[in-house]
Amino acid sequence: MNMMRIHLLAALLSAWATVQAQPSNRAPERPKPDTAAVDDKTIAALPSNLRVTRRTRQLYQSLQALPQQGVLFGHQDDLAYGIGWKYVPGESDVKRVAGDYPAVYGWELGHLETGDPVNIDSVPFDAMRTFVRDGYRRGGVITMSWHLNNPYTGSSSWDTTAAVPHILPGGSKHALYLSWLDRVADFILSLRYKGKAIPVLFRPFHEHTGSWFWWGEKQCTPDEYKALWRLTADYLRLTRKVNNILFVYSTAEFRDEAHYLERYPGDAYVDVLGFDTYMQHTGEAESGEIYRQAIRGRLDMLTAMGARRQKPTCLAETGLEQIPVADWWTGTLWEAVKDFPITYLLLWRNGRPNHYYVPYPGHPSEADFQKFVANDRVFLESDARRANLYRTNGFWGWLFRR
Ligand code: BMA
């Protein structure tokens, strides 16, 4: 603790006490209209796990207040590789084009469960830990997806053999599944900066309104899906005391609110509501319009559900592979999301020359991407840092910072 600051604080407190002792006829102060202060409603919206760490709770409150200012821009695997480079310290395709890192970093845990040192897309978990720390240290937000193997067959996430009943309590693969969760718990608990756990928005069992993963709509019943989610959350939070996670629930396409909520595990198990929707480019002018309409229709429903449940909302995964439309960022994506109070949107990974979702230098949509991120309401990492999402620069930060 900084002794000089403590003395200064003591002097200020005593001066303040003297002033307070005098009778005052001043009118009560009104709140400043231009602050995006956390209001009563926001304070009421607590995280689903009341034992989360202070920084995790602060992040959650910030995520709720944020849409009043802007939307965080995110990118999957941003720091690990891009088009034409791999594992170059400090590198990022978003930074190469926009001059700043994304505000949200998506990382993928697939294959952590099997004890592999590298993930499903060859990112070493040790390197991921460093990338997570780097992004967090600069003020960014971390989210994690998990394309875990099929625990019944040992094959991939895309092996749609029914597996959920086998891993629920009493099932033949229950113990195996808990051992997988142990590896996830160990990894997430190992994400620390200056001795404090780094908050993670964990997004398991995503796109479950589709049927391409073993936890999909045709692969298990709503009750089985809910039981799987609750088992996962209870084991991580209660048994393993992983208190630096918030849960993101993200479907694929959904018809209406009932469809969205059919497998919803409950407000006590979810913190952020989202969905994944990509644009399918057919080469026709209508494909942009189809995407905009789809996103807007779903965000309309999501906003209503979020408001009712006091949960922040997000566009958990989106993009147009290879971005063949030069003004896609301002003309399509921004048009689709601009009217909705989402906290973040995340573009998928720049995996290979025919599978990427943000531009690289020289890409036809580069100029439009720069225009898009220049919008005051689109937050990259330095905007996130200024928004001080973890509230680490507040009073206690000032007092204790060395
Ligand atoms: C998919 C693709 C795959 C990848 C998987 C998990 O959408 O990008 O290449 O393995 O996500 O990250």
Side-chain angles (χ1 to χ4, degrees):
M1 179 152 3
N2 184 321
M3 288 314 287
M4 218 173 75
R5 286 180 190 171
I6 295 201
H7 287 304
L8 174 64
L9 185 70
L12 285 172
L13 278 175
S14 109
W16 177 78
T18 316
V19 171
Q20 289 302 303
Q22 311 298 321
S24 160
N25 54 7
R26 275 186 308 157
E29 256 188 50
R30 282 193 300 156
K32 293 193 195 105
D34 59 343
T35 52
V38 176
D39 56 23
D40 289 350
K41 194 174 150 219
T42 310
I43 286 170
L46 294 166
S48 65
N49 171 13
L50 295 179
R51 295 175 197 82
V52 290
T53 65
R54 190 168 66 86
R55 280 174 172 70
T56 310
R57 197 176 53 244
Q58 299 284 22
L59 172 64
Y60 194 55
Q61 294 200 338
S62 300
L63 291 182
Q64 294 177 63
L66 202 65
Q68 297 167 42
Q69 303 171 30
V71 53
L72 303 173
F73 179 85
H75 186 213
Q76 184 79 358
D77 282 355
D78 186 78
L79 302 173
Y81 53 80
I83 300 302
W85 62 274
K86 265 192 170 104
Y87 307 105
V88 179
E91 206 49 276
S92 147
D93 277 347
V94 170
K95 184 162 178 276
R96 283 184 166 194
V97 169
D100 193 2
Y101 293 107
V104 173
Y105 295 94
W107 297 106
E108 164 60 38
L109 296 181
H111 293 186
L112 179 67
E113 69 279 2
T114 62
D116 258 11
V118 301
N119 86 350
I120 187 171
D121 303 312
S122 309
V123 179
F125 287 107
D126 282 344
M128 193 186 295
R129 191 181 291 112
T130 305
F131 293 139
V132 164
R133 207 179 289 139
D134 288 346
Y136 171 75
R137 177 173 50 78
R138 293 189 297 249
V141 174
I142 311 301
T143 179
M144 290 187 172
S145 48
W146 189 21
H147 290 76
L148 66 166
N149 280 352
N150 182 316
Y152 188 60
T153 63
S155 192
S156 81
S157 285
W158 291 268
D159 175 351
T160 51
T161 311
V164 179
H166 300 292
I167 59 176
L168 293 177
S172 64
K173 299 290 179 187
H174 182 62
L176 174 73
Y177 182 61
L178 295 189
S179 75
W180 288 8
L181 288 180
D182 277 328
R183 290 197 169 111
V184 170
D186 290 343
F187 185 70
I188 295 184
L189 287 171
S190 79
L191 304 170
R192 302 182 78 82
Y193 177 65
K194 288 194 175 172
K196 303 271 192 255
I198 298 174
V200 171
L201 304 177
F202 184 44
R203 190 171 66 91
F205 307 120
H206 63 305
E207 299 180 359
H208 57 282
T209 51
S211 297
W212 44 87
F213 297 130
W214 57 259
W215 57 86
E217 198 168 74
K218 293 207 176 86
Q219 286 70 33
C220 59
T221 67
D223 282 346
E224 284 168 351
Y225 182 87
K226 289 181 204 175
L228 170 65
W229 187 289
R230 291 177 189 149
L231 162 70
T232 304
D234 285 341
Y235 191 78
L236 293 175
R237 304 193 300 201
L238 301 176
T239 309
R240 292 300 315 273
K241 304 199 170 27
V242 184
N243 289 324
N244 53 328
I245 43 176
L246 296 167
F247 282 86
V248 184
Y249 173 84
S250 78
T251 63
E253 285 71 26
F254 57 100
R255 293 181 295 275
D256 49 28
E257 292 189 13
H259 188 204
Y260 185 86
L261 295 171
E262 190 181 37
R263 286 153 196 258
Y264 184 68
D267 286 343
Y269 287 91
V270 172
D271 297 293
V272 182
L273 305 180
F275 64 87
D276 299 3
T277 292
Y278 287 83
M279 177 166 151
Q280 305 304 328
H281 189 56
T282 55
E284 295 149 23
E286 303 93 81
S287 53
E289 188 52 24
I290 292 169
Y291 171 84
R292 279 190 297 271
Q293 292 301 333
I295 297 275
R296 291 176 67 86
R298 285 171 203 147
L299 284 179
D300 228 4
M301 295 185 260
L302 199 74
T303 304
M305 291 186 281
R308 221 174 293 132
R309 291 167 187 275
Q310 299 196 352
K311 307 268 184 207
T313 56
C314 71
L315 182 47
E317 271 184 47
T318 196
L320 167 61
E321 196 174 53
Q322 298 183 44
I323 330 138
V325 180
D327 70 345
W328 188 75
W329 301 97
T330 59
T332 304
L333 179 62
W334 184 244
E335 287 303 313
V337 302
K338 67 177 186 194
D339 297 328
F340 300 95
I342 49 173
T343 59
Y344 78 90
L345 55 88
L346 181 117
L347 278 291
W348 203 240
R349 67 198 194 99
N350 277 15
R352 45 185 186 269
N354 64 354
H355 183 57
Y356 64 87
Y357 294 87
V358 304
Y360 50 82
H363 184 273
S365 79
E366 182 180 14
D368 191 58
F369 186 72
Q370 289 162 345
K371 197 166 149 201
F372 166 69
V373 299
N375 184 323
D376 285 349
R377 286 178 53 212
V378 176
F379 278 28
L380 291 183
E381 190 174 68
S382 46
D383 305 305
R385 183 163 54 251
R386 269 192 294 278
N388 189 20
L389 303 174
Y390 304 95
R391 301 284 180 266
T392 46
N393 300 336
F395 171 75
W396 295 109
W398 173 78
L399 188 62
F400 286 99
R401 206 177 313 129
R402 272 181 269 264

